Each structure stands twice: as structure tokens, then as C-alpha cells.
Amino acid sequence: MKILSIETSCDETSVAIIEASGGLEKPDFNVLSHLVLSQVKIHEKYGGVFPNLAKREHSKNLGPLVKKALEEAGLWVDANNKIPAEQVEKIKTDLSREPELFTNLLNIFETSAVPEIDLIAVTNGPGLEPALWVGINAAKTLGEIWNVPVMPINHMEGHISSVLTSAKSAIQFPALALLISGGHTELVLISDWLTYKVIGETRDDAVGEVFDKVARMLGLPYPGGPQISALAEEARAEANTKAEVVENVSYGASAVPTFEFPRPMIKSPDYDFSFSGLKTSVLYAIRDLMVIRPALDLATKKAIALEFENAIIETLLAKTQRAIEEFVPKTLIIAGGVISNKAIRQAFEKLTKNSSSYGQEITFLVPTQALSTDNALMIAIAAYIRQQKSPTSISADRNFSAEGNLRLS
Ligand code: KG4
Ligand code: ZN
């Protein structure tokens, strides 16, 4: 079946078209097109994502992006497809708050034949509601014009599904998923397809959020995750070189201070996380340094980035390891934007390499680097799984809303 998917939950406008087959045992995805338009440059100067600015950009860009995706997939057929006046009126009413999206979609789809699409999937939460609504309204409009069902998809289910393109065989359950993104830090037990139990989550900041906040403290641009990770990588490489070259030479007093940040809740008996204390420790360390220095030099920033990243890695590892020991999953899934981080990926690879010590082999699944951060392909994949799991769940009903705090259920 062919699925067109739309993702607008934050600052990426993304559209994908896939041809999916193979069912739940051997799901196979032929990507016909996949486009991601990042708004990072626009939000960068504000140091974070502005919901209404994100909404405006999605409204402007989504229509042309859908057209481009259809063209790339070979599904665009020029035609004079006059949309009946009463249908135009209905769409206009639905999109009254998004006139730009309305004009875009109308102009585009009056010039194309109805494409061969079986299902439209769209993220309906969690995320920024004004941004989510753009995708939802566009999906509903296209569903109306093309007479195709529209399926709402949970963004976090999308992140979980992003690993399916990397899976070499059928997913074995139970699976344990660690979801680490800009808005979430969750440990989820998956007993079967789409059957979730959240066993732990962050009590304050999400991992990605704390990466972004610490980056801001260090004067690095948004989004800070990749910036911190690059600095930490350099610090690691330099430390290794030093250790190799200088075996017996004493360094004397180093000009770069050393740091020791806490590993929050690492020993607590639950599976919850908390990162605000770690964030505050970094803040205090920087504040103390600023008393004696006019500005942080690069070497100090690298040392902070490294110790901060190590604290995050150790905390994530400890909680996940304990969950593995208790629940003995057959598959470990790690997904969400933060898994782009090389050091975090490597730490979990190492953990699962020795998985026989847990009593059984654990298959470790992570998305490719490109599918780690927000994208529409993962939404299309999740929609296929949902359609396969309960084909009857697809209805003509398009009566769903954006849910900023939508949870996995
Ligand atoms: O999943 P995602 O694209 O969006 C949300 O659903 O939130 O995740 C974005 C988050 C941002 O906080 C970003 O700083 C973080 O992922 N991130 C990283 C790295 N690349 C992106 N964090 C640490 N290291 C990275 N290399
Ligand atoms: Zn995300």
C-alpha cells in the first residue's frame, strides 16, 4: 500500500511517501520520496523554537513540499482537477485560520489528478499544538479532496518505528525502548506491536532539552545537542592522544579546570530520570568560573561538554541496564533525536554486545543517523504497522485534534 505522511510537530516540515508491504512479520518499506525542511536557521537567533513562527513556516512550506514529494515519487499527474465549489467552501472554513495553507493546497491540487495514495498519516502529538495543527489540517484537506482515509499518529510511536528500516529480521517481543528527544526521556516496555507501558520518564527536563540549555550556557547556538556532542568528541580525542603520547611526563598544574557533575537519580529504585540538578550544577560551575575569568575559553567549554555528556550517558545506561535485568527484553530500541549522539550510540552498542550476560541475546536497534531526528518517514512506517495490526481501525472519520501532551497508549 502507498502511504503519504506529514510531520510538523516542531521545527521540521517533512513529507514522505512509501510503498509498504510484508505485514508485521517482515515489514518492508520502499521509500518513494522523503523530504525534510528544517527551520533551524529561522529559530536559531531566538535560541529555541517559537511555536507561532514554526506554524507560519509550516503553513508556507507544506503545500509545495507535498507537491514535490508526489513529483519525486512519480505520482504527480498534471490535470485540471476543478474542486467542486461546496468542497472548496468546506475546506476554506476548516482552514480559516491558515489562509496561506489553504491557498497553497488549493492552487496545487487543482492542477493535479488524484494521486494513487491509499492512506494519509499525520502526527497529531505530542508537540507544539499550533505547529501540529498545520499538518493535521493539511492531511484532512488532502483526505477530503482525494477521498483517502487519514490516520493520526503519535510522534513517539513514530520514533520507535524509525528503527524498523534498520531491523534485519522480525522484531522480537518483549522489547524495551529508551526514547530520548527534545521533549521526552522515557523507558517504555513494548509487549507486542503497539502495546506500550511507560515504566519511567523524566521528572523535569528531557535529555535533548538539557543538552540545548547547557549549550546556551556555553554560548553555543541552537540546537545545542550536536554542538555539545562535537566539543565532547574533541575533548575525548584529545584526552586519548595525551594519554598515548605522554606516559611518564608530569603535566604540572593544568590551566583547564576539571569538573565533576552529578549523575542524577542513578541509584533510585525506579526508572525515572531527572536532569534539572545536572543542569544547575553546570550553571553553578560556569558562574564560579566567570568570577575569575572574563569568558570561557574553548578548552574549558570542551571539558564541561565532556563531563556533562558523560553524566548523561552514565545515567541513561544505568537505568536502561536495570530495566534490562528486570524485564529481560529480546529487543532494545533506542530512538529520538538525541540518539544522533555518537558517544551515546557507542555506549549502548557496548552494553548490548555483552547481552548474553543477561541470560539471552538482545537485538539492539537504533535508527540511522538521518532518521534519528524528526522526519515524516517514521510516521509513515508507524501508520503501516497500525494498519496491519488492526485494518478495521482505519475509518473515514477525520474528527481528531492536535494533542500537545499526547502519551503513548
Ligand atoms: O527527536 P527530535 O528531532 O525532536 C523532538 O522530538 O524533540 O530531537 C531533537 C533533540 C534536540 O534537543 C537536539 O539538541 C537533540 O535532539 N540532539 C542531540 C544531538 N543531535 C540532536 N543531542 C545530543 N547529541 C546530538 N548529537
Ligand atoms: Zn521527535
Side-chain angles (χ1 to χ4, degrees), residues 155 159 181-183 208-209 211-212 223-226 229 336-338 340-341 373-374:
H155 180 82
H159 275 302
S181 70
E209 188 180 0
F211 263 98
D212 295 337
S229 116
V338 180
S340 318
N341 184 295
T373 46
D374 291 351

Side-chain angles (χ1 to χ4, degrees), residues 159 180-181 211 223 225-227 229-230 233 309 334-346 366-375:
H159 275 302
I180 41 178
S181 70
F211 263 98
Q227 307 279 337
S229 116
E233 271 313 303
E309 195 173 271
I334 311 211
V338 180
I339 200 61
S340 318
N341 184 295
K342 208 167 126 200
I344 300 180
R345 279 174 107 91
Q346 283 172 347
V366 274
T368 58
Q369 200 90 16
L371 290 188
S372 296
T373 46
D374 291 351
N375 65 84

Side-chain angles (χ1 to χ4, degrees), residues 17-57:
I17 301 175
I18 62 168
E19 171 129 45
S21 57
L24 296 178
E25 275 306 303
K26 236 175 164 279
D28 189 41
F29 309 102
N30 183 14
V31 182
L32 304 180
S33 59
H34 184 211
L35 304 168
V36 183
L37 199 70
S38 170
Q39 301 173 5
V40 158
K41 283 274 160 273
I42 291 160
H43 296 286
E44 196 179 29
K45 51 181 170 293
Y46 305 103
V49 181
F50 261 53
N52 281 325
L53 194 55
K55 170 188 157 152
R56 195 191 73 191
E57 288 300 305

Side-chain angles (χ1 to χ4, degrees), residues 64-294:
L65 211 62
V66 172
K67 177 178 181 186
K68 198 166 168 213
L70 287 167
E71 284 171 341
E72 280 192 11
L75 295 174
W76 177 274
V77 181
D78 279 327
N80 188 1
N81 179 23
K82 196 86 192 123
I83 301 168
E86 65 274 22
Q87 212 178 10
V88 172
E89 267 320 300
K90 182 180 178 307
I91 298 166
K92 194 173 182 174
T93 313
D94 288 347
L95 297 188
S96 59
R97 292 216 210 130
E98 282 160 51
E100 193 162 14
L101 179 66
F102 168 74
T103 316
N104 260 329
L105 291 178
L106 209 64
N107 283 345
I108 291 170
F109 295 103
E110 281 200 328
T111 61
S112 94
V114 172
E116 274 176 52
I117 295 287
D118 303 299
L119 176 66
I120 299 172
V122 62
T123 308
N124 76 316
L128 306 169
E129 287 195 1
L132 287 163
W133 270 117
V134 179
I136 292 172
N137 281 329
K140 289 181 179 180
T141 303
L142 296 174
E144 170 87 21
I145 300 174
W146 298 341
N147 197 19
V148 171
V150 181
M151 186 191 272
I153 292 289
N154 182 312
H155 180 82
M156 300 317 286
E157 187 167 292
H159 275 302
I160 293 172
S161 309
S162 69
V163 303
L164 289 180
T165 54
S166 319
K168 293 197 174 55
S169 55
I171 302 270
Q172 302 283 312
F173 296 104
L176 177 71
L178 173 68
L179 304 179
I180 41 178
S181 70
H184 289 77
T185 308
E186 289 179 331
L187 268 169
V188 185
L189 207 57
I190 311 174
S191 51
D192 193 3
W193 289 107
L194 313 182
T195 310
Y196 308 111
K197 185 174 179 210
V198 178
I199 58 168
E201 60 194 320
T202 183
R203 296 188 179 174
D204 38 60
D205 291 353
V207 190
E209 188 180 0
V210 80
F211 263 98
D212 295 337
K213 287 178 176 168
V214 166
R216 206 176 313 156
M217 292 175 202
L218 294 175
L220 304 168
Y222 174 86
Q227 307 279 337
I228 299 245
S229 116
L231 286 186
E233 271 313 303
E234 284 178 35
R236 245 179 233 116
E238 284 163 16
N240 288 342
T241 322
K242 261 185 203 167
E244 273 168 27
V245 177
V246 195
E247 273 189 334
N248 290 322
V249 181
S250 164
Y251 260 109
S254 163
V256 182
T258 51
F259 300 93
E260 216 172 292
F261 299 135
R263 276 65 176 149
M265 293 183 70
I266 201 162
K267 294 219 164 75
S268 71
D270 49 42
Y271 295 108
D272 282 348
F273 303 87
S274 163
F275 295 106
S276 73
L278 171 59
K279 180 184 68 185
T280 311
S281 297
V282 179
L283 181 71
Y284 287 167
I286 294 174
R287 197 190 56 186
D288 292 348
L289 279 172
M290 299 300 263
V291 174
I292 48 167
R293 294 167 182 228

